[in-house]
Amino acid sequence: MQMVDHLSEFRKQTAGELRLHRIELALTKRELHVIFGLLLADISKLNLPKSCSISFPNGNDDLMNFEVSIRPDEGYYCCFMVVSLANNTNKCSTDLLLCIFSGGTFLFYFQVSPTYPHEAPKVKCKTKVYHPNIDLEGNVCLNILREDWKPLLNINTVIYGLYHLFTEPNYEDPVNHDAAAVLRDTPKMYESNVRRATYGGYVGQTYFQRCI
């Protein structure tokens, strides 16, 4: 008799757990539907620079995982000095300003959390790049992906933030400490290292695939 009672109680618990599981699944589907709607609205309103593009490798039904390609046409510049023969003084010619990242294509992978927009998307750089704010494993140091994220921000804001990493690399908040130290102490060497990495080659002991 006692065994029958235990079996009956077990069945009640199992049935209750199944009902709870169904409720949780329904809530999860509803939440995902809301997030899908938010993402669809965000993506449909994207206003990106011409040098940025977005793609969905898993198809358009999977908006929570996508890739963004950035091809900087402006950015951290190296500036060559030329001599003016007219007055024998040095001047900086804007014609000789060169963006050190120009011509490169840098691919970023986005994974959007089910708690978006209350949590920032997770972003990794799939292109190995010599940059103080992107380490060799692709981890990105960008304030709006961390402590400065707010639910009012969106995917467009993040992409612009990534784009501006190429305009203003920041050695004061690095994840690649070697690149940050070189940028801070010897900017000309930093410029040389970036070009070597972009065109494919070794920087120190690290090999970079050509991305230009």
Side-chain angles (χ1 to χ4, degrees), residues 57-128:
N58 301 329
N60 293 336
D61 291 336
D62 183 5
L63 297 184
M64 301 184 75
N65 298 277
F66 55 89
E67 294 176 343
V68 171
S69 177
I70 298 179
R71 299 175 302 280
D73 53 8
E74 61 180 5
Y76 182 83
Y77 291 100
C78 54
C79 181
F80 294 90
M81 301 300 293
V82 296
V83 177
S84 171
L85 298 178
N87 53 19
N88 200 31
T89 59
N90 289 339
K91 69 175 182 179
C92 180
S93 170
T94 54
D95 291 335
L96 294 178
L97 284 175
L98 297 176
C99 169
I100 59 175
F101 293 105
S102 181
T105 299
F106 305 94
L107 192 64
F108 292 86
Y109 172 72
F110 279 62
Q111 184 178 40
V112 180
S113 165
T115 58
Y116 179 85
H118 300 287
E119 182 182 344
K122 291 179 170 56
V123 179
K124 275 217 165 190
C125 185
K126 297 180 72 174
T127 307
K128 187 179 286 187

Side-chain angles (χ1 to χ4, degrees), residues 2-211:
Q2 189 174 6
M3 183 177 294
V4 173
D5 289 342
H6 282 311
L7 183 59
S8 176
E9 184 66 26
F10 174 76
R11 286 173 176 168
K12 287 179 182 178
Q13 289 178 352
T14 302
E17 288 170 356
L18 284 172
R19 283 194 296 272
L20 181 60
H21 183 61
R22 289 193 190 102
I23 292 170
E24 288 173 346
L25 281 176
L27 287 173
T28 301
K29 287 180 180 177
R30 194 176 305 153
E31 289 166 355
L32 288 175
H33 182 73
V34 171
I35 293 164
F36 186 90
L38 288 170
L39 277 173
L40 188 61
D42 277 0
I43 291 167
S44 65
K45 294 176 183 176
L46 285 176
N47 181 24
L48 301 178
K50 291 181 180 178
S51 56
C52 297
S53 61
I54 185 169
S55 62
F56 300 88
N58 301 329
N60 293 336
D61 291 336
D62 183 5
L63 297 184
M64 301 184 75
N65 298 277
F66 55 89
E67 294 176 343
V68 171
S69 177
I70 298 179
R71 299 175 302 280
D73 53 8
E74 61 180 5
Y76 182 83
Y77 291 100
C78 54
C79 181
F80 294 90
M81 301 300 293
V82 296
V83 177
S84 171
L85 298 178
N87 53 19
N88 200 31
T89 59
N90 289 339
K91 69 175 182 179
C92 180
S93 170
T94 54
D95 291 335
L96 294 178
L97 284 175
L98 297 176
C99 169
I100 59 175
F101 293 105
S102 181
T105 299
F106 305 94
L107 192 64
F108 292 86
Y109 172 72
F110 279 62
Q111 184 178 40
V112 180
S113 165
T115 58
Y116 179 85
H118 300 287
E119 182 182 344
K122 291 179 170 56
V123 179
K124 275 217 165 190
C125 185
K126 297 180 72 174
T127 307
K128 187 179 286 187
V129 56
Y130 186 79
H131 196 293
N133 309 117
I134 305 172
D135 69 17
L136 300 178
E137 285 71 47
N139 299 304
V140 179
C141 182
L142 185 63
N143 60 333
I144 59 172
L145 292 175
R146 300 178 303 167
E147 69 277 1
D148 289 342
W149 175 260
K150 299 173 183 176
L152 292 175
L153 301 179
N154 54 33
I155 300 300
N156 200 78
T157 312
V158 175
I159 296 175
Y160 264 96
L162 296 172
Y163 181 79
H164 284 298
L165 285 181
F166 296 99
T167 305
E168 299 177 8
N170 180 13
Y171 61 75
E172 294 183 347
D173 188 22
V175 286
N176 184 332
H177 295 274
D178 173 69
V182 174
L183 174 59
R184 181 189 64 232
D185 300 333
T186 52
K188 289 295 182 184
M189 182 180 291
Y190 175 76
E191 295 161 10
S192 175
N193 287 350
V194 168
R195 298 308 292 176
R196 187 179 299 117
T198 305
Y199 277 91
Y202 282 92
V203 177
Q205 300 298 313
T206 302
Y207 181 75
F208 293 81
Q209 292 282 351
R210 182 185 177 95
C211 64

